[in-house]
Amino acid sequence: MPMPEPEMRRLIKRRLRGASDTDRIKLLRAALEELPGYYQGPYGQLRKWIKEEIERTRVRSRVVQKEEFAIAKDGDFQVALIGPPNAGKSSLLRALTGRQVAIGDYAFTTTRPVAATVNFNGARAQLVEIPGLVAGAGEGRGQGRALAAAARNADILCCLLPADAGPAQLWEGLCPELDALGLDPDLVILTRCDLVDTVPEFATRTAVPVSAHTGAGMDRLGQALWERSGLIRVWHHGRAGDPFVLPRGTTVAELAGRVHNELAGSLRYARVWGPSARFPGQRVGGGHVLADEDEVQLVAR
C-alpha cells in the first residue's frame, strides 16, 4: 500500500525545509521517482505540484540574491518572521529578545533582515525579522525573491498578521505571493491583539494570538515554536550546566557520542529520570529513545 497522499506531501515538505535551490531540485526529483504510478486523483495532483515546485525553484535559482540578505544561522534553531508591511514583526522581535530595533506605525520600518537570539529554557533560538512582503513579491517586486531566500533558510517559518487589520483578508492576498516564492509557513501569529475587543476568527490554519505591548500569548508562542523545532533538551542528572540540545528521536548511545567520541563505544547502560523513563532512575540501554527534559546518568565500562 502506498503512503497516503497528504502524509507523503508533508514528508516531502519536511525534506525540503532549509535546502538550497540545487538540493531542493534534487529532492523534488527523487520524490517524483518515489510516487506510485498514478496520474489522476490525489497522486496526480501531488505529481503536478512537485513538477510546479521544480520549475519555480529553477526560476528562483536564476535570480542573483544579494549577499546582505544572507543570515548565517546562530543558536540551536532559526525562526523567520515574515508577513505584510507593518504587521508587528519588529515589536515582536523586541518583545521576545530585548533587541532594540526600529518600530513605527508605518510600513517598511525594517528594510533588511534583522536577527537576534532568545533563550528557550536552555535552547537558543535565532529570530530573523524579514522586511514586509508586498503585492508582486513572487515576481521579484520589493526584493521579494531575495527576502524569500533568507526566510527559506530558517527551520521554522512564521507568518505575522495584525489582528486589527483584517487578518483573513491579508492572508488571502498573501497566499499567492507565498506560493510563488515557495514559502509554506509553519505557524501564523496574530499580532496586536490588545487593539481589538475580540480576537478575530482565523480558520485558515492554527494561529497564535499575541500582544507585544501587554505580553499576552508570549508563553504560548514560545511553546508553539519549541514544539515545531523538532528538538529536545537533555541534562546530566541533577541539571548541572547547560542541557544538550538534540534532535527528537536521539538515543542514549547517540547522546554518549555527543558527550565524548569514545564514550559511545564503552557505554554499559544509563539511568534516566524524566518523561521517557517508566520510573525515576530507570536503567536503560543505548537504544533507549530520549525525550524533552530528560535527565541522564551515563555509566561506562
Side-chain angles (χ1 to χ4, degrees):
M1 279 292 288
M3 182 185 299
E5 184 273 337
E7 187 175 340
M8 181 166 281
R9 189 184 290 260
R10 285 193 294 270
L11 176 62
I12 293 170
K13 288 182 177 181
R14 283 199 299 270
R15 289 176 179 173
L16 295 177
R17 188 167 297 159
S20 66
D21 283 341
T22 300
D23 289 340
R24 187 181 178 90
I25 290 175
K26 291 179 181 177
L27 290 167
L28 286 165
R29 285 175 174 164
L32 205 57
E33 293 295 323
E34 294 174 6
L35 287 184
Y38 305 125
Y39 290 84
Q40 302 295 328
Y43 276 101
Q45 292 299 315
L46 181 56
R47 188 181 298 276
K48 178 182 177 183
W49 174 79
I50 292 174
K51 290 180 177 179
E52 289 173 349
E53 282 298 307
I54 290 174
E55 183 56 31
R56 276 196 286 262
T57 304
R58 282 175 176 159
V59 172
R60 285 199 305 267
S61 66
R62 298 189 193 108
V63 179
V64 178
Q65 308 296 346
K66 290 193 173 182
E67 186 178 353
E68 65 179 0
F69 287 165
I71 302 294
K73 285 190 177 182
D74 183 30
D76 298 304
F77 63 103
Q78 187 184 79
V79 180
L81 307 177
I82 63 170
N86 201 27
K89 296 183 292 293
S90 295
S91 296
L92 183 64
L93 185 75
R94 187 166 77 175
L96 286 172
T97 69
R99 174 162 180 167
Q100 294 300 312
V101 293
I103 297 175
D105 293 327
Y106 48 89
F108 307 112
T109 308
T110 302
T111 57
R112 55 178 294 173
V114 176
T117 57
V118 61
N119 187 292
F120 279 112
N121 296 328
R124 291 177 63 245
Q126 182 189 44
L127 305 182
V128 180
E129 177 192 354
I130 305 296
L133 299 177
V134 300
E139 299 173 357
R141 187 181 175 204
Q143 299 179 310
R145 291 184 179 131
L147 296 174
R152 204 178 299 116
N153 189 51
D155 300 296
I156 303 173
L157 185 61
C158 296
C159 182
L160 277 65
L161 300 170
D164 62 332
Q169 292 77 14
L170 285 172
W171 174 254
E172 185 177 344
L174 197 59
C175 275
E177 308 300 342
L178 296 176
D179 288 341
L181 293 168
L183 298 177
D184 184 19
D186 301 288
L187 184 67
V188 170
I189 304 172
L190 290 182
T191 61
R192 304 209 291 260
C193 286
D194 57 302
L195 299 182
V196 295
D197 295 328
T198 304
V199 176
E201 291 186 11
F202 187 69
T204 305
R205 55 178 65 212
T206 303
V208 177
V210 301
S211 168
H213 178 65
T214 67
M218 291 300 182
D219 289 342
R220 181 184 169 191
L221 175 58
Q223 185 61 33
L225 292 175
W226 177 247
E227 289 172 355
R228 286 161 176 78
S229 72
L231 301 172
I232 61 172
R233 294 153 298 182
V234 176
W235 279 264
H236 288 296
H237 182 45
R239 296 208 174 199
D242 295 328
F244 290 92
V245 181
L246 308 162
R248 279 185 202 142
T250 294
T251 64
V252 165
E254 289 167 337
L255 170 63
R258 283 285 299 270
V259 174
H260 195 282
N261 290 336
E262 297 180 0
L263 183 56
S266 61
L267 180 70
R268 288 179 58 202
Y269 63 88
R271 294 195 183 276
V272 179
W273 292 257
S276 77
R278 292 197 300 269
F279 53 86
Q282 179 188 358
R283 178 169 168 165
V284 300
H288 179 81
V289 177
L290 298 165
D292 190 33
E293 299 204 61
D294 273 348
E295 296 181 30
V296 181
Q297 181 184 59
L298 301 172
V299 180
R301 297 186 183 89

